Amino acid sequence: MIVAVDGPTASGKGTIAKAIAAHFGLPHLDSGLLYRAVARQVVLDGGDPGDPADAGKAAAFPEELLADPILRSESVGQIASVVSAHPEVRALLLRRQQDFARQPGGAVLDGRDIGTVIAPDADVKIFVTASVEARAHRRWLEMRERGEDVTLDRIEGELRSRDARDQGRAISPLRAADDAVTLDTTALGRDEAIAQAIRIVEEKMR
Ligand code: CDP
């Protein structure tokens, strides 16, 4: 069984994908981490994230980089949404994601284009969404917990600019697949969102 979980930043897609994977005993790939690693590598190389050649070169990042906690920062997330708009970067990461999706027994992947491009044949596609305000508030709480000193306004601004870049790019823009089930988590707590997602998978597989 292949489960595709897509959605914008701080929608809860990562938490939901991880919980689905644990519940059904499937491996999970956070595809955003790959783009974050490319972003981090461009910076380490002293390259320009807006330059397709620099970003393409950074797609050959070393595997150890994936474990670096700095990849989770919002500044790396912003650069990730710049490098991820280059077709050459997406092409270089495609095979790895498709191999992961097609492994025997299946897999859960989360990202922006899993249901539309990486695994259009996925058995279950969930598009996780939430209002900008709810997502900004969640991200703000997360960052405060990590001890980062940021204002809610700034987070909301960054989130809107990342949404605009991810939705507006020419290649693999963020959008729900036609056959995806939309899960709006605006008014849902973590456990409730997970329970609904698991129900969606069970209903699809019945
Ligand atoms: O965790 P969050 O939703 O904030 O971000 P992420 O999933 O780690 O993704 C970081 C950035 O990578 C996104 O803003 C996208 O630009 C890009 N990305 C993408 O283009 N395609 C994917 N399948 C996953 C991420």
Side-chain angles (χ1 to χ4, degrees):
M1 167 170 80
I2 301 177
V3 182
V5 183
D6 290 301
T9 183
S11 57
K13 67 181 183 323
T15 304
I16 285 171
K18 226 177 287 163
I20 291 174
H23 185 87
F24 294 97
L26 294 169
H28 166 233
L29 179 71
D30 167 5
S31 67
L33 203 57
L34 305 176
Y35 293 94
R36 285 171 179 269
V38 176
R40 179 65 184 151
Q41 190 61 44
V42 177
V43 173
L44 291 172
D45 292 344
D48 171 8
D51 181 79
D54 284 4
K57 210 166 71 202
F61 60 81
E63 284 303 297
E64 313 86 78
L65 188 59
L66 292 170
D68 190 334
I70 199 169
L71 296 194
R72 306 279 176 192
S73 70
E74 184 52 32
S75 60
V76 172
Q78 288 286 339
I79 302 169
S81 84
V82 175
V83 299
S84 70
H86 299 305
E88 31 290 88
V89 170
R90 305 202 73 87
L92 287 163
L93 298 180
L94 181 78
R95 180 70 192 274
R96 176 181 189 144
Q97 295 172 79
Q98 287 186 332
D99 286 350
F100 192 93
R102 289 175 192 154
Q103 63 189 295
V108 182
L109 291 87
D110 75 83
R112 301 289 187 289
D113 64 338
I114 307 300
T116 51
V117 176
I118 304 296
D121 55 341
D123 302 282
V124 186
K125 299 180 186 178
I126 305 178
F127 192 79
V128 186
T129 179
S131 71
V132 173
E133 293 75 15
R135 292 188 286 125
H137 192 252
R138 275 177 209 161
R139 187 48 53 93
W140 179 69
L141 285 176
E142 255 172 49
M143 293 175 80
R144 277 213 332 185
E145 254 166 49
R146 287 203 300 255
E148 293 177 54
D149 183 25
V150 282
T151 64
L152 186 55
D153 266 6
R154 187 175 133 200
I155 296 297
E156 193 175 315
E158 286 178 351
L159 201 134
R160 283 183 193 278
S161 72
R162 194 130 72 89
D163 278 359
R165 261 201 303 273
D166 289 351
Q167 288 161 357
R169 68 182 175 221
I171 180 162
S172 307
L174 167 67
R175 69 169 184 86
D178 294 336
D179 51 349
V181 177
T182 296
L183 176 58
D184 188 328
T185 64
T186 305
L188 301 181
R190 184 181 179 279
D191 293 350
E192 209 181 337
I194 290 172
Q196 288 204 16
I198 289 173
R199 221 172 300 137
I200 291 169
V201 177
E202 283 170 347
E203 264 164 34
K204 277 274 171 190
M205 297 315 291
R206 217 186 289 140

